[in-house]
Amino acid sequence: STPNIAAAKAALSHIEQDENPATIRSKSRDFFWYSPVLKEKMDHLEADFVVNPKSEEEVIEILRVCYAHDVPVTTRGAGTGNYGQAMPMRGGCVMHMKNMASVKEIAPGRVVTEPGIVVKELDAQTRAHSGQELRMMPSTFATATIGGFVAGGSGGIGSCTWGALRDFGNIIRLRVVTMEEEPRVVELTGDELPRVSHAFGTNGIITEIEMPLAPAYDWTELLVAFDDFPDAAKFAEGVANQDGILIKLATVIEAPIGKSYFQRIAPHVEEGTNLVILLVAPHSVEGLKTFMEAEEVPGAIIYDSTDNDWPRTPGALAEYTWNHTTLRALKVDPSITYLQVRYRYPDHMELVEKVRAEFGAEVLQHLEVMRENGKVMFAGLPIVAFSTPERLEEIIRIHEEMGCMIFNPHRYTLEEGGRQSTDARQLNFKREADPKGLLNPGKMIAWDDPDFDYATMYDYPAMTPKPEA
Ligand code: FAD
């Protein structure tokens, strides 16, 4: 049925709303523009209104009212997602979670929190309370919310030790509100968690999150320089495989990314410098140096956050990793783009070299060390010289033919940006929790077309059409 926007908005007039058209526009956007393909397709999308609930009761009321008036609801954390995840494909209501930001409980090994808190602030609170930190966080930790990370993210700083968000044990419990005539509150644990984690808010709104914690450290940040890329990759893998050396991050950056795109690091490196970025627990730094000597690692530590004479320090090295590498490159050269690749154990090293041999400077390597089922492997976020969407598709195809898995960041659906199949747990839960299909519509292909297949799924047209020029 046709949404009755005016009726819904009026019925929610007692809940905080953003009225300024510029604010409505900005709250309808995320980091979709990262992709030249999505920028072209999604730039026109805009919500009809923005509402900011303060409590679970207000979330329930918003969902009840919007259900009654057939108004789509797209939830927003901080809008740092980069697949257009938080963009209202069919207009309607954007529900911004920023006012639901209180931490409810911190205990040994776990924290219970509302979803709208910024990750950095949550981390500060668990540190201050009892010297604990989140196991992993996105490189957008300074701005992203924990709810957006659970609903839209995948892993990040910490994944070299703890694996990905989707791995067993990395989320403990989620409290979720459904979008029905009378919304229900459900608590999900164990094998129920994948119903809504990384489901883009398409089948329930997360109002409370319980996450595991690890001991917090003042991580020492190191930059290690290498002349040869394979030496750098081998070193990063080797450090992550050392059982006694505690790290939170190991990132490999191919030359000349450091010189070309890392402005504060550039004066200290050459065109040909390949970099490894490490976050090491302070008590593990000596162990790391001993490992480097014992293995005769052909690299040199050129920056140590605890001891350096750089006139301008680079700032947090974590903000050069994961998708921040891409962001820094985009700031210098807006014409570049990127991919998300998985180089699986045990072929990861060989696959990376195959890709390098195939593409050369067209696809510059940026690897993140990850653990998967206890094995060290690489997530790649290579920087790609963008020419045409067709060439980008071809580059993706060649990667897939070589045996790499691609999470396509130039698509906005769960299926295309993810594992290229529908998660039946998510689809079944949507049938139950969102019978009218109003939650973040257009993001789950299987909801609209259960018979879609991989061959036809690209370019799924599920949004408000672009106005005629
Ligand atoms: P949003 O972008 O606002 O939302 C993300 C998705 O979650 C949307 O679909 C939204 O509808 C849904 N959502 C938000 N809150 C709720 C809720 N309470 N209930 C239900 N659904 C909800 N991601 C990583 O995983 N790792 C990284 O290292 C990483 N690095 C990044 C670096 C850069 C420079 C950029 C631009 C992005 C990066 N991302 C990364 C993607 C993104 O920043 C993270 O996933 C982040 O955690 C999203 O949080 P957010 O609050 O901005 O969520």
Side-chain angles (χ1 to χ4, degrees):
S1 325
T2 317
N4 190 340
I5 302 290
K9 206 170 163 329
L12 294 170
S13 59
H14 58 296
I15 299 182
E16 184 184 300
Q17 294 187 27
D18 285 316
E19 301 291 349
N20 182 338
T23 310
I24 294 175
R25 176 146 177 87
S26 71
K27 299 300 174 213
S28 301
R29 300 161 77 78
D30 62 13
F31 276 67
F32 75 109
W33 53 265
Y34 243 60
S35 158
V37 179
L38 296 185
K39 169 119 185 72
E40 166 64 26
K41 289 187 193 218
M42 304 181 92
D43 201 46
H44 64 290
L45 296 175
E46 200 167 314
D48 293 293
F49 64 99
V50 175
V51 58
N52 310 315
K54 290 191 178 60
S55 62
E56 186 179 88
E57 293 71 57
E58 290 193 351
V59 170
I60 291 170
E61 200 170 343
I62 292 163
L63 297 183
R64 183 194 293 120
V65 165
C66 288
Y67 180 94
H69 297 290
D70 299 302
V71 173
V73 176
T74 302
T75 308
R76 180 182 185 84
T80 69
N82 32 20
Y83 306 92
Q85 285 153 299
M87 293 179 69
M89 306 278 282
R90 295 173 198 163
C93 168
V94 159
M95 180 164 67
H96 193 186
M97 304 303 281
K98 63 175 181 181
N99 293 335
M100 288 180 63
S102 13
V103 176
K104 297 191 166 169
E105 186 193 346
I106 304 170
R110 56 190 189 85
V111 59
V112 179
T113 181
E114 288 190 320
I117 190 168
V118 169
V119 173
K120 188 178 181 179
E121 170 59 22
L122 177 59
D123 199 64
Q125 291 199 29
T126 56
R127 276 172 186 265
H129 177 274
S130 44
Q132 302 188 85
E133 63 180 35
L134 290 167
R135 286 178 174 179
M136 68 191 73
M137 49 184 176
S139 64
T140 42
F141 58 89
T143 47
T145 67
I146 188 71
F149 186 42
V150 167
S154 54
I157 303 150
S159 289
C160 57
T161 302
W162 294 101
L165 265 180
R166 69 196 299 277
D167 290 326
F168 298 121
N170 279 334
I171 301 170
I172 299 173
R173 182 177 57 88
L174 297 173
R175 194 174 156 92
V176 173
V177 179
T178 65
M179 190 166 187
E180 299 169 88
E181 186 171 359
E182 202 44 63
R184 287 173 296 140
V185 178
V186 291
E187 300 254 349
L188 306 179
T189 56
D191 68 357
E192 301 158 340
L193 292 165
R195 294 177 189 177
V196 296
S197 64
H198 202 84
F200 295 3
T202 55
N203 56 12
I205 305 310
I206 301 166
T207 53
E208 190 177 285
I209 300 175
E210 185 167 343
M211 295 294 275
L213 299 174
Y217 293 99
D218 285 329
W219 301 91
T220 299
E221 305 176 8
L222 300 176
L223 272 179
V224 190
F226 291 84
D227 290 336
D228 291 317
F229 181 83
D231 288 335
K234 199 166 154 254
F235 168 66
E237 181 194 41
V239 174
N241 272 322
Q242 283 302 308
D243 299 334
I245 298 175
L246 183 56
I247 60 170
K248 191 162 179 172
L249 183 70
T251 305
V252 190
I253 304 283
E254 185 171 11
I257 294 174
K259 188 74 178 173
S260 303
Y261 301 133
F262 294 173
Q263 286 167 309
R264 290 196 181 191
I265 293 173
H268 306 275
V269 299
E270 308 295 328
E271 278 283 317
T273 308
N274 300 281
L275 292 167
V276 172
I277 299 172
L278 293 176
L279 257 59
V280 186
H283 59 272
S284 279
V285 173
E286 272 310 307
L288 173 83
K289 290 181 178 167
T290 312
F291 166 76
M292 290 179 72
E293 281 163 28
E295 294 289 313
E296 296 178 16
V297 170
I301 297 176
I302 59 165
Y303 173 81
D304 175 335
S305 59
T306 65
D307 177 22
N308 68 82
D309 57 6
W310 289 23
R312 286 178 85 209
T313 65
L317 287 188
E319 288 177 330
Y320 289 80
T321 71
W322 290 88
N323 236 330
H324 268 72
T325 315
T326 324
L327 184 60
R328 289 185 189 269
L330 274 171
K331 278 187 177 159
V332 175
D333 180 358
S335 76
I336 65 102
T337 188
Y338 78 120
L339 286 178
Q340 300 199 150
V341 190
R342 198 53 55 88
Y343 306 99
R344 285 233 143 100
Y345 178 90
D347 305 321
H348 49 299
M349 210 54 100
E350 192 188 317
L351 281 174
V352 170
E353 284 312 308
K354 260 197 201 165
V355 169
R356 290 182 70 225
E358 170 76 25
F359 297 108
E362 190 181 16
V363 179
L364 287 175
Q365 290 303 314
H366 155 207
L367 306 176
E368 295 292 343
V369 168
M370 280 193 78
R371 248 190 176 68
E372 190 173 66
N373 297 317
K375 303 290 193 224
V376 170
M377 39 78 91
F378 297 129
L381 293 95
I383 292 177
V384 178
F386 182 67
S387 47
T388 62
E390 293 71 32
R391 175 61 183 160
L392 194 56
E393 286 299 317
E394 191 175 35
I395 293 173
I396 290 172
R397 190 178 46 73
I398 296 169
H399 274 82
E400 289 175 339
E401 281 167 8
M402 286 178 174
C404 303
M405 190 169 173
I406 295 275
F407 298 88
N408 190 342
H410 305 285
R411 296 288 180 259
Y412 49 77
T413 59
L414 281 159
E415 288 94 341
E416 294 163 296
R419 295 176 175 255
Q420 296 169 353
S421 57
T422 301
D423 189 324
R425 298 166 297 191
Q426 294 183 347
L427 176 60
N428 290 338
F429 191 64
K430 186 170 173 73
R431 291 189 172 129
E432 182 188 314
D434 179 27
K436 285 189 178 177
L438 292 169
L439 285 175
N440 203 357
K443 302 288 168 54
M444 195 191 283
I445 305 178
W447 172 263
D448 294 299
D449 178 9
D451 299 325
F452 85 93
D453 67 54
Y454 177 53
T456 57
M457 73 189 207
Y458 280 176
D459 272 333
Y460 174 67
M463 65 179 108
T464 308
K466 225 177 185 172
E468 297 289 324

